[in-house]
Amino acid sequence: MEIILRPVITEKMTQKGEKLNQYGFIVHKKANKLQIRKAVKELYGVEVVDVNTMSYSGKMKTRFTKGGALSGRTNAYKKAIVTLAAGETIDFYSNI
């Protein structure tokens, strides 16, 4: 099972990274905090202090077009906010 799917790179998460040393990741829905901590440590080589997780359910969306109404559902996902030890950083832009 792939634990970390992708990092969350938004303005808000960039500010959290600079001020609070916290980084966000979209993770597998069944991953627990211990697995997330281990995966971040192995992937980025940093010391993780705390992991906070939140699960988002998929929402119903409706779009009105010329051909009629189209209904669908957004994907459900789980997000993890990882707090690193003082002095540790993750550089998401190094391999661009």
Side-chain angles (χ1 to χ4, degrees):
M1 172 170 70
E2 185 68 31
I3 302 294
I4 296 177
L5 303 178
R6 65 180 179 270
V8 177
I9 302 174
T10 59
E11 270 187 63
K12 189 173 184 178
M13 285 311 304
T14 304
Q15 289 174 353
K16 279 188 167 230
E18 292 169 356
K19 292 182 182 177
L20 303 173
N21 211 18
Q22 293 180 337
Y23 297 90
F25 299 96
I26 302 295
V27 296
H28 193 273
K29 286 184 238 176
K30 303 225 178 198
N32 61 30
K33 293 182 181 186
L34 297 175
Q35 293 171 331
I36 295 167
R37 179 187 302 256
K38 183 179 175 188
V40 170
K41 187 172 184 175
E42 288 176 0
L43 191 60
Y44 295 104
V46 293
E47 188 62 35
V48 177
V49 175
D50 193 22
V51 177
N52 299 89
T53 60
M54 51 207 88
S55 296
Y56 292 93
S57 60
K59 306 281 191 285
M60 288 296 298
K61 298 280 186 174
T62 304
R63 190 175 67 183
F64 296 99
T65 63
K66 289 181 184 178
L70 299 174
S71 293
R73 190 167 187 84
T74 60
N75 292 332
Y77 61 97
K78 187 172 192 176
K79 185 163 72 170
I81 306 296
V82 177
T83 305
L84 302 182
E88 301 273 357
T89 58
I90 296 175
D91 185 18
F92 294 124
Y93 307 105
S94 64
N95 57 0
I96 294 177

